[in-house]
Amino acid sequence: MSYLMRKVHLEDINGISYFGQFLAEDFFLAKHLHEKGFCHQVAAIPAQQNVASPSIVAYKDRMVRWLRLRLNMMPITAGFLEPLGESIPLGIFASWSAGFLFGINPYIWFTCHVLVWFSLDYIQLKGIQNGQLPFSFPMYAVAWIIRELLYVHVYFEALCNVQRVRWGKRTYFLSNFGKSLRIANEKSLLHI
């Protein structure tokens, strides 16, 4: 993500060097600016991210890294509330609830839930792209299924050794609320 801001406002919140202690400096920049009374505006055009290695493993590793950051910055939100916004955990809870409270077959409920979620994600993606998608519908379906199934694995991997984040060729130890410390020697760490 990228931010555009006036230098004078950045200096009002301790300058850019202050935020070097955080791996998620963009989050803390936004947080400090918001606390100073500034409002944020999201651009109408989505930014593209150029991923060095566009593979499922690289995607999974990036999601684990970002979730570990969020778990250290906002443990309640990322650890308990965020999973409830994902299709599979929410679908399981909703289908169990529908079965328990209303006697609705949970398998039918879950299937409908997944189909509606899948369709809404596709509609939203087409709206964001503002036109034809750069890939086929079957490719979208496969990518969507992989992403949704992968979230459960990402969540539990992120919980293991939650304060250790590998970013590029370096490893960092995160303290509570996002401050980071670069680790010079990884041999003393537990690898999971």
Side-chain angles (χ1 to χ4, degrees):
M1 299 298 159
S2 298
Y3 285 99
L4 293 174
M5 65 191 80
R6 295 182 190 274
K7 185 177 178 187
V8 67
H9 300 312
L10 183 58
E11 290 169 355
D12 285 345
I13 55 171
N14 301 323
I16 193 74
S17 61
Y18 171 78
F19 295 96
Q21 64 186 318
F22 303 108
L23 283 180
E25 73 287 342
D26 54 348
F27 170 81
F28 289 101
L29 273 166
K31 182 176 182 271
H32 279 73
L33 286 169
H34 182 74
E35 288 170 355
K36 287 279 190 178
F38 289 95
C39 295
H40 297 91
Q41 235 178 349
V42 178
I45 302 169
Q48 286 188 317
Q49 291 190 6
N50 297 324
V51 180
S53 172
S55 68
I56 294 173
V57 172
Y59 171 78
K60 187 264 310 169
D61 290 344
R62 190 171 77 238
M63 293 299 106
V64 168
R65 181 174 63 240
W66 288 354
L67 182 53
R68 283 180 178 163
L69 283 171
R70 291 191 307 277
L71 284 166
N72 281 282
M73 294 182 305
M74 308 171 296
I76 301 295
T77 303
F80 299 105
L81 299 178
E82 191 175 304
L84 297 177
E86 293 291 331
S87 67
I88 291 177
L90 184 61
I92 291 169
F93 294 139
S95 55
W96 175 82
S97 299
F100 182 78
L101 296 172
F102 306 114
I104 299 171
N105 183 325
Y107 299 107
I108 293 172
W109 183 279
F110 185 79
T111 302
C112 291
H113 166 85
V114 168
L115 289 174
V116 167
W117 198 291
F118 174 84
S119 301
L120 291 175
D121 278 354
Y122 186 74
I123 291 166
Q124 182 179 25
L125 182 60
K126 282 193 68 130
I128 289 171
Q129 288 290 347
N130 200 17
Q132 193 67 22
L133 296 177
F135 42 81
S136 67
F137 183 79
M139 187 178 283
Y140 163 78
V142 169
W144 187 89
I145 291 167
I146 290 170
R147 188 262 175 233
E148 296 304 317
L149 293 176
L150 200 55
Y151 178 78
V152 176
H153 176 77
V154 164
Y155 182 78
F156 287 108
E157 185 176 332
L159 288 177
C160 297
N161 213 350
V162 71
Q163 291 183 303
R164 180 184 163 271
V165 173
R166 185 148 179 87
W167 203 289
K169 295 181 181 180
R170 296 181 175 157
T171 302
Y172 297 88
F173 177 81
L174 299 173
S175 66
N176 288 334
F177 307 109
K179 288 188 179 179
S180 61
L181 173 66
R182 184 175 163 204
I183 299 172
N185 182 1
E186 276 194 70
K187 292 179 182 173
S188 62
L189 294 174
L190 170 67
H191 289 279
I192 296 179

